């Protein structure tokens, strides 16, 4: 299992909408996340820096393939048309990234 | 169990030192963390934004008391004399905070 952290900005005037969306994520989106072997996925918000921090545990064996399958899902793509306008990707992210991946530097427990 | 996320800045010229420290955290510091009912604790680094994100799962029933016990531990205090000079707390943090707590807005899995 691989613990992964990621970060993205959120537009301050979209925080309420983003929270509202994530209080009731569509069941097909959640199912697709699970099928891509992602478990224990939490998103945290920090204001006034307007940052979102995502944490999940990846239990699969081919992360790129699992992400590609997720990205190809029409319902997930439709979900993202609601979420993406709320977010501000970091300019420093990798070309293939929306959320910017972080590097784990410590684990215990 | 309560999933908690927190954020703090890191000084760019201290990143190597911070990583080095966290590759071999003192056993007594880890034991004190465990005794304060913190499990599955990971710290992630993001450059060039120079941010640290912490994630843990709190399994106790009195978080303030568990944090107070941790803060009162002399070995943990000594550990912090090495870590704190590497960090830049967010100006927006609460008066009692070093790391700034985040708000969970989504969970699945």
């Amino acid at each position: 299992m691989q613990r992964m952290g990621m970060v993205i900005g959120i537009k301050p005037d979209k925080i309420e909408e983003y929270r509202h969306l994530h209080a009731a994520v569509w069941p097909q989106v959640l199912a697709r996340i699970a099928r891509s072997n992602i478990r224990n996925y939490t998103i945290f918000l920090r204001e006034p820096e307007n940052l979102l921090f995502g944490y999940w545990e990846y239990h699969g064996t081919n992360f790129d393939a699992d992400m590609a399958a997720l990205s190809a899902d029409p319902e997930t793509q439709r979900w993202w048309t609601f979420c993406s306008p709320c977010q501000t990707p970091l300019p420093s992210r990798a070309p293939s990234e929306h959320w910017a991946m972080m590097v784990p530097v410590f684990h215990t427990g």
Side-chain angles (χ1 to χ4, degrees), chain A residues 18-85:
Chain A
Y18 192 85
R19 293 186 71 143
H20 188 73
L21 280 164
H22 284 77
V25 175
W26 305 346
Q28 286 169 270
V29 170
L30 297 178
R32 182 60 260 182
I33 288 170
R35 278 203 304 280
S36 281
N37 300 304
I38 291 165
R39 304 278 180 276
N40 198 21
Y41 178 15
T42 306
I43 297 175
F44 296 91
L45 165 70
R46 177 66 197 181
E47 297 179 87
E49 291 78 12
N50 304 322
L51 292 171
L52 297 170
F53 165 46
Y55 170 88
W56 70 41
E57 292 164 3
Y58 176 65
H59 287 257
T61 53
N62 188 335
F63 183 68
D64 289 347
D66 275 329
M67 288 303 99
L70 197 148
S71 300
D73 174 53
E75 194 69 354
T76 297
Q77 290 173 357
R78 200 165 79 83
W79 170 251
W80 286 343
T81 68
F82 292 86
C83 297
S84 293

Side-chain angles (χ1 to χ4, degrees), chain A residues 93-108:
Chain A
R93 73 193 185 282
S96 62
E97 289 181 340
H98 179 63
W99 290 73
M101 298 308 291
M102 305 185 80
V103 176
V105 296
F106 169 72
H107 178 75
T108 188

